[in-house]
Amino acid sequence: MRILVSGGGVAGLSAGIDLVAGGHDVTLVERSDHLRVNGSPIDIRGESIGVAEEMGVLGQIRARRIGMSERIEFVDASDRILAELAADEVNDTAGDVEIPREDLVTILRAALPAATPLIFGESIVELHDDGAGVDVRFSSGTSDRFDLVVGADGMHSATRRLVFGPEHLFLRHLGFYTAIAALPPRARRDGRNSMFNLPGLMSGITGYQDKALAVFLFRSPWIDYDYRDLDAQKRILTDVFAGQRDWRVGELLEAALADAELYFDSVSQIDMDAWHRGRAVLVGDAAYCASPLSGRGTSLALTGAWFLAEALREHPDDVERAFAQYERLQRPHVLRAQATAAPGGDLLAPPTPEAIDARNERLRTASR
Ligand SMILES: Cc1cc2nc3c(=O)[nH]c(=O)nc-3n(C[C@H](O)[C@H](O)[C@H](O)COP(=O)(O)OP(=O)(O)OC[C@H]3O[C@@H](n4cnc5c(N)ncnc54)[C@H](O)[C@@H]3O)c2cc1C
């Protein structure tokens, strides 16, 4: 089949690799003009480790594996440690393989056969599914026809909007926003992961290898803005932390403002009863975003792409049956991942001074 994949993240690249391996003629389009490789390290866990092996990339992933520091320190304005937390209490990291997001995306890009087009600066603007195929119009003005369209274009998926309806029907905001920016390596002292809280706000420094990252998490109701507008994202972040210069908050905000690749998004989940309609199907965050607090989004993207390609291999003449099989096999992983996301936010960004003190006291008691 001729298959269009929208999105060049972990889900899109994995779908590309798996569908080409299944004998399909695949084209990928990525809205950005380059691979988006930034972000904090991500975990590959559970069944997705076996999937990476089947895809032929597990050896390279293991070779780039990193060991993140096990502990998070909560500090006061004078950088004194108030309480410590084992990282696996934020999300369970037992048995996983941790790898910089940039390395995983680069490995997957290299595993995509050279003959498979990956077109940057391109996205779908219109889809028409007539039952026998899908006519697609692109932002560049060109048109083409495909047998299937795979939407792997992330939490704010354009494919989902065009096929299933507006985002608000499917997005469940968990009450937090997060941002990640690059810091100069020297900003991270002694390999520490230090987090500083104000009520409802967390800013911190983490890192891996020689990299340092500024991380932010804050409580907020849903904010209406153009999620593609980097300046708007930076404005929101500076407004939320307005006037806050305690600890190293000022330095971290400056780094965020200077970062052309700042990652900023709501902490949300995508809930859908069905991930396919007609000849269009969604994989990864587009279909079942579990939020960064779950630590499982990348694993879901890997297994989802794999189950989809497998199902199409097993039911080459029955797309509806193949999509149903994909959903049946993937859904239990999604339910488990989404269920793990909520507690991390309360731990990292308690809402009031009393809740911050209570969290610290609880962690001190636990470590004693
Ligand atoms: C830059 C970036 C940084 C991230 N950092 C973190 C992190 O630090 N921690 C964490 O837990 N998760 C992070 N994530 C999310 C994480 O990558 C995903 O949860 C997970 O890997 C599943 O990936 P996905 O491919 O489904 O979605 P994404 O990783 O969101 O990939 C979607 C891709 O589709 C592209 N795209 C978007 N819209 C369109 C469109 N209309 N047409 C074509 N292409 C489009 C995007 O540019 C992106 O490359 C990050 C995502 C991105 C894009």
Side-chain angles (χ1 to χ4, degrees), residues 284-323:
D285 281 4
Y288 31 73
C289 181
S291 91
L293 289 176
S294 81
R296 289 167 196 268
T298 299
S299 300
L300 287 181
L302 286 164
T303 56
W306 180 257
F307 288 140
L308 174 63
E310 276 283 286
L312 288 168
R313 213 186 329 251
E314 286 172 27
H315 306 290
D317 303 318
D318 191 343
V319 167
E320 178 64 34
R321 198 156 161 219
F323 288 166

Short mmCIF file of all heavy atoms in Angstrom, two decimals, residues 284-323:
data_model
loop_
_atom_site.label_atom_id
_atom_site.label_comp_id
_atom_site.label_asym_id
_atom_site.label_seq_id
_atom_site.Cartn_x
_atom_site.Cartn_y
_atom_site.Cartn_z
N GLY A 284 0.87 6.93 18.61
CA GLY A 284 1.66 7.78 19.50
C GLY A 284 0.79 8.81 20.21
O GLY A 284 -0.41 8.62 20.42
N ASP A 285 1.43 9.95 20.57
CA ASP A 285 0.73 10.98 21.35
C ASP A 285 -0.54 11.46 20.66
O ASP A 285 -1.48 11.89 21.32
CB ASP A 285 1.65 12.18 21.58
CG ASP A 285 2.67 11.94 22.69
OD1 ASP A 285 2.70 10.82 23.22
OD2 ASP A 285 3.42 12.88 23.01
N ALA A 286 -0.59 11.43 19.35
CA ALA A 286 -1.78 11.87 18.62
C ALA A 286 -3.01 11.10 19.08
O ALA A 286 -4.10 11.66 19.21
CB ALA A 286 -1.57 11.66 17.11
N ALA A 287 -2.83 9.82 19.37
CA ALA A 287 -3.96 8.95 19.73
C ALA A 287 -4.12 8.79 21.22
O ALA A 287 -5.24 8.72 21.72
CB ALA A 287 -3.76 7.57 19.10
N TYR A 288 -2.98 8.69 21.95
CA TYR A 288 -3.08 8.27 23.37
C TYR A 288 -1.94 8.86 24.19
O TYR A 288 -1.27 8.13 24.94
CB TYR A 288 -3.10 6.74 23.48
CG TYR A 288 -2.32 6.00 22.41
CD1 TYR A 288 -0.92 5.99 22.43
CD2 TYR A 288 -2.97 5.33 21.39
CE1 TYR A 288 -0.21 5.31 21.45
CE2 TYR A 288 -2.27 4.65 20.39
CZ TYR A 288 -0.89 4.65 20.44
OH TYR A 288 -0.18 3.99 19.46
N CYS A 289 -1.74 10.16 24.02
CA CYS A 289 -0.71 10.83 24.83
C CYS A 289 -0.97 10.52 26.31
O CYS A 289 -2.10 10.63 26.79
CB CYS A 289 -0.77 12.34 24.59
SG CYS A 289 0.47 13.24 25.53
N ALA A 290 0.10 10.11 26.98
CA ALA A 290 -0.06 9.78 28.41
C ALA A 290 0.50 10.89 29.29
O ALA A 290 0.34 10.84 30.49
CB ALA A 290 0.65 8.47 28.72
N SER A 291 1.20 11.87 28.67
CA SER A 291 1.82 13.04 29.31
C SER A 291 3.24 12.69 29.76
O SER A 291 3.51 11.53 30.10
CB SER A 291 1.02 13.56 30.50
OG SER A 291 1.46 12.95 31.69
N PRO A 292 4.11 13.71 29.82
CA PRO A 292 5.49 13.46 30.28
C PRO A 292 5.53 12.89 31.68
O PRO A 292 6.48 12.20 32.05
CB PRO A 292 6.12 14.86 30.25
CG PRO A 292 5.32 15.65 29.28
CD PRO A 292 3.92 15.11 29.37
N LEU A 293 4.50 13.14 32.50
CA LEU A 293 4.52 12.62 33.87
C LEU A 293 4.39 11.10 33.92
O LEU A 293 4.64 10.48 34.95
CB LEU A 293 3.39 13.25 34.70
CG LEU A 293 3.58 14.72 35.06
CD1 LEU A 293 2.35 15.25 35.78
CD2 LEU A 293 4.83 14.93 35.91
N SER A 294 3.98 10.49 32.82
CA SER A 294 3.86 9.02 32.82
C SER A 294 5.21 8.36 32.55
O SER A 294 5.44 7.22 32.92
CB SER A 294 2.86 8.56 31.77
OG SER A 294 3.48 8.54 30.49
N GLY A 295 6.10 9.08 31.86
CA GLY A 295 7.38 8.49 31.47
C GLY A 295 7.23 7.32 30.50
O GLY A 295 8.13 6.51 30.34
N ARG A 296 6.09 7.23 29.85
CA ARG A 296 5.84 6.06 29.00
C ARG A 296 5.44 6.41 27.57
O ARG A 296 5.09 5.52 26.78
CB ARG A 296 4.74 5.19 29.61
CG ARG A 296 5.20 4.46 30.84
CD ARG A 296 4.04 3.87 31.62
NE ARG A 296 4.47 3.51 32.96
CZ ARG A 296 4.93 2.31 33.30
NH1 ARG A 296 4.99 1.36 32.42
NH2 ARG A 296 5.33 2.08 34.53
N GLY A 297 5.47 7.70 27.21
CA GLY A 297 5.00 8.10 25.89
C GLY A 297 5.81 7.48 24.76
O GLY A 297 5.25 7.08 23.72
N THR A 298 7.11 7.39 24.96
CA THR A 298 7.97 6.85 23.90
C THR A 298 7.75 5.35 23.74
O THR A 298 7.68 4.83 22.62
CB THR A 298 9.44 7.16 24.22
OG1 THR A 298 9.56 8.58 24.28
CG2 THR A 298 10.37 6.61 23.18
N SER A 299 7.59 4.66 24.88
CA SER A 299 7.33 3.21 24.80
C SER A 299 6.01 2.96 24.08
O SER A 299 5.91 2.04 23.25
CB SER A 299 7.27 2.61 26.21
OG SER A 299 8.49 2.82 26.86
N LEU A 300 5.01 3.79 24.38
CA LEU A 300 3.71 3.62 23.70
C LEU A 300 3.85 3.86 22.20
O LEU A 300 3.20 3.18 21.39
CB LEU A 300 2.68 4.59 24.27
CG LEU A 300 2.12 4.31 25.66
CD1 LEU A 300 1.09 5.36 26.03
CD2 LEU A 300 1.48 2.91 25.73
N ALA A 301 4.67 4.83 21.83
CA ALA A 301 4.86 5.12 20.40
C ALA A 301 5.50 3.92 19.69
O ALA A 301 5.10 3.55 18.58
CB ALA A 301 5.72 6.37 20.22
N LEU A 302 6.48 3.31 20.35
CA LEU A 302 7.16 2.16 19.74
C LEU A 302 6.22 0.96 19.60
O LEU A 302 6.13 0.35 18.54
CB LEU A 302 8.38 1.76 20.59
CG LEU A 302 9.59 2.70 20.48
CD1 LEU A 302 10.56 2.45 21.63
CD2 LEU A 302 10.32 2.51 19.16
N THR A 303 5.50 0.64 20.68
CA THR A 303 4.62 -0.54 20.59
C THR A 303 3.46 -0.26 19.63
O THR A 303 3.06 -1.14 18.87
CB THR A 303 4.06 -0.96 21.96
OG1 THR A 303 3.38 0.15 22.56
CG2 THR A 303 5.13 -1.46 22.90
N GLY A 304 2.94 0.97 19.66
CA GLY A 304 1.80 1.29 18.80
C GLY A 304 2.15 1.13 17.33
O GLY A 304 1.40 0.50 16.56
N ALA A 305 3.29 1.68 16.93
CA ALA A 305 3.70 1.58 15.53
C ALA A 305 3.90 0.11 15.14
O ALA A 305 3.53 -0.33 14.05
CB ALA A 305 4.99 2.37 15.30
N TRP A 306 4.44 -0.66 16.10
CA TRP A 306 4.71 -2.08 15.82
C TRP A 306 3.41 -2.88 15.67
O TRP A 306 3.23 -3.63 14.71
CB TRP A 306 5.56 -2.66 16.97
CG TRP A 306 5.90 -4.09 16.77
CD1 TRP A 306 5.33 -5.16 17.37
CD2 TRP A 306 6.89 -4.60 15.87
NE1 TRP A 306 5.90 -6.33 16.91
CE2 TRP A 306 6.85 -6.02 15.99
CE3 TRP A 306 7.79 -4.03 14.98
CZ2 TRP A 306 7.69 -6.84 15.25
CZ3 TRP A 306 8.63 -4.85 14.24
CH2 TRP A 306 8.57 -6.23 14.38
N PHE A 307 2.49 -2.68 16.61
CA PHE A 307 1.21 -3.42 16.54
C PHE A 307 0.45 -3.05 15.26
O PHE A 307 -0.19 -3.90 14.64
CB PHE A 307 0.34 -3.12 17.75
CG PHE A 307 0.82 -3.75 19.04
CD1 PHE A 307 0.74 -3.05 20.24
CD2 PHE A 307 1.32 -5.04 19.06
CE1 PHE A 307 1.17 -3.63 21.43
CE2 PHE A 307 1.75 -5.63 20.24
CZ PHE A 307 1.68 -4.92 21.43
N LEU A 308 0.53 -1.78 14.88
CA LEU A 308 -0.16 -1.35 13.66
C LEU A 308 0.41 -2.05 12.43
O LEU A 308 -0.33 -2.62 11.61
CB LEU A 308 -0.06 0.17 13.51
CG LEU A 308 -0.62 0.74 12.22
CD1 LEU A 308 -2.12 0.49 12.11
CD2 LEU A 308 -0.32 2.25 12.10
N ALA A 309 1.75 -2.04 12.32
CA ALA A 309 2.37 -2.66 11.15
C ALA A 309 2.12 -4.17 11.12
O ALA A 309 1.85 -4.76 10.07
CB ALA A 309 3.87 -2.36 11.14
N GLU A 310 2.18 -4.80 12.31
CA GLU A 310 1.92 -6.24 12.42
C GLU A 310 0.50 -6.57 11.95
O GLU A 310 0.25 -7.54 11.23
CB GLU A 310 2.05 -6.66 13.88
CG GLU A 310 3.45 -6.96 14.32
CD GLU A 310 3.89 -8.31 13.82
OE1 GLU A 310 3.44 -9.31 14.37
OE2 GLU A 310 4.68 -8.32 12.84
N ALA A 311 -0.44 -5.74 12.42
CA ALA A 311 -1.86 -5.99 12.09
C ALA A 311 -2.08 -5.85 10.58
O ALA A 311 -2.82 -6.66 9.98
CB ALA A 311 -2.74 -5.01 12.86
N LEU A 312 -1.42 -4.89 9.97
CA LEU A 312 -1.58 -4.73 8.52
C LEU A 312 -0.91 -5.88 7.77
O LEU A 312 -1.35 -6.28 6.69
CB LEU A 312 -0.99 -3.38 8.07
CG LEU A 312 -1.81 -2.15 8.48
CD1 LEU A 312 -1.01 -0.86 8.26
CD2 LEU A 312 -3.14 -2.09 7.70
N ARG A 313 0.15 -6.43 8.37
CA ARG A 313 0.80 -7.60 7.77
C ARG A 313 -0.13 -8.81 7.83
O ARG A 313 -0.23 -9.58 6.88
CB ARG A 313 2.10 -7.90 8.53
CG ARG A 313 3.20 -8.46 7.64
CD ARG A 313 4.45 -8.91 8.39
NE ARG A 313 4.78 -8.20 9.61
CZ ARG A 313 5.80 -7.36 9.74
NH1 ARG A 313 6.58 -7.10 8.72
NH2 ARG A 313 6.06 -6.79 10.90
N GLU A 314 -0.82 -8.95 8.96
CA GLU A 314 -1.68 -10.12 9.14
C GLU A 314 -3.01 -10.01 8.40
O GLU A 314 -3.62 -11.02 8.06
CB GLU A 314 -1.94 -10.35 10.64
CG GLU A 314 -0.71 -10.92 11.33
CD GLU A 314 -0.84 -10.98 12.84
OE1 GLU A 314 -1.98 -11.08 13.33
OE2 GLU A 314 0.19 -10.92 13.52
N HIS A 315 -3.46 -8.80 8.16
CA HIS A 315 -4.75 -8.60 7.47
C HIS A 315 -4.58 -7.64 6.29
O HIS A 315 -5.16 -6.55 6.28
CB HIS A 315 -5.79 -8.05 8.45
CG HIS A 315 -5.94 -8.89 9.68
ND1 HIS A 315 -6.51 -10.15 9.67
CD2 HIS A 315 -5.55 -8.68 10.95
CE1 HIS A 315 -6.47 -10.66 10.89
NE2 HIS A 315 -5.89 -9.78 11.68
N PRO A 316 -3.78 -8.05 5.30
CA PRO A 316 -3.45 -7.10 4.22
C PRO A 316 -4.67 -6.66 3.41
O PRO A 316 -4.65 -5.59 2.83
CB PRO A 316 -2.46 -7.89 3.34
CG PRO A 316 -2.66 -9.32 3.71
CD PRO A 316 -3.17 -9.37 5.10
N ASP A 317 -5.72 -7.49 3.42
CA ASP A 317 -6.87 -7.14 2.59
C ASP A 317 -8.04 -6.60 3.40
O ASP A 317 -9.15 -6.45 2.87
CB ASP A 317 -7.34 -8.39 1.81
CG ASP A 317 -6.20 -8.94 0.98
OD1 ASP A 317 -5.47 -8.12 0.37
OD2 ASP A 317 -6.00 -10.18 0.98
N ASP A 318 -7.83 -6.39 4.68
CA ASP A 318 -8.94 -5.96 5.52
C ASP A 318 -8.44 -4.90 6.52
O ASP A 318 -8.08 -5.21 7.66
CB ASP A 318 -9.52 -7.18 6.26
CG ASP A 318 -10.84 -6.85 6.93
OD1 ASP A 318 -11.14 -5.66 7.12
OD2 ASP A 318 -11.56 -7.81 7.30
N VAL A 319 -8.42 -3.66 6.05
CA VAL A 319 -7.86 -2.57 6.84
C VAL A 319 -8.62 -2.40 8.15
O VAL A 319 -8.03 -2.23 9.22
CB VAL A 319 -7.93 -1.26 5.99
CG1 VAL A 319 -7.67 -0.05 6.86
CG2 VAL A 319 -6.94 -1.32 4.86
N GLU A 320 -9.95 -2.51 8.09
CA GLU A 320 -10.79 -2.33 9.27
C GLU A 320 -10.40 -3.35 10.35
O GLU A 320 -10.25 -3.02 11.52
CB GLU A 320 -12.26 -2.49 8.84
CG GLU A 320 -13.28 -2.39 9.94
CD GLU A 320 -13.32 -1.01 10.62
OE1 GLU A 320 -13.10 0.00 9.92
OE2 GLU A 320 -13.56 -0.97 11.84
N ARG A 321 -10.21 -4.60 9.93
CA ARG A 321 -9.86 -5.65 10.87
C ARG A 321 -8.45 -5.41 11.45
O ARG A 321 -8.18 -5.63 12.63
CB ARG A 321 -9.91 -6.99 10.13
CG ARG A 321 -9.99 -8.14 11.05
CD ARG A 321 -10.60 -9.34 10.38
NE ARG A 321 -10.24 -10.52 11.15
CZ ARG A 321 -9.93 -11.68 10.65
NH1 ARG A 321 -9.96 -11.87 9.35
NH2 ARG A 321 -9.62 -12.68 11.43
N ALA A 322 -7.55 -4.96 10.56
CA ALA A 322 -6.18 -4.68 11.01
C ALA A 322 -6.19 -3.57 12.06
O ALA A 322 -5.56 -3.69 13.12
CB ALA A 322 -5.32 -4.27 9.81
N PHE A 323 -6.93 -2.50 11.80
CA PHE A 323 -6.98 -1.39 12.75
C PHE A 323 -7.59 -1.84 14.09
O PHE A 323 -7.15 -1.43 15.16
CB PHE A 323 -7.79 -0.22 12.19
CG PHE A 323 -7.11 0.54 11.06
CD1 PHE A 323 -7.83 1.43 10.27
CD2 PHE A 323 -5.75 0.37 10.80
CE1 PHE A 323 -7.22 2.14 9.24
CE2 PHE A 323 -5.13 1.08 9.78
CZ PHE A 323 -5.86 1.96 9.00
#
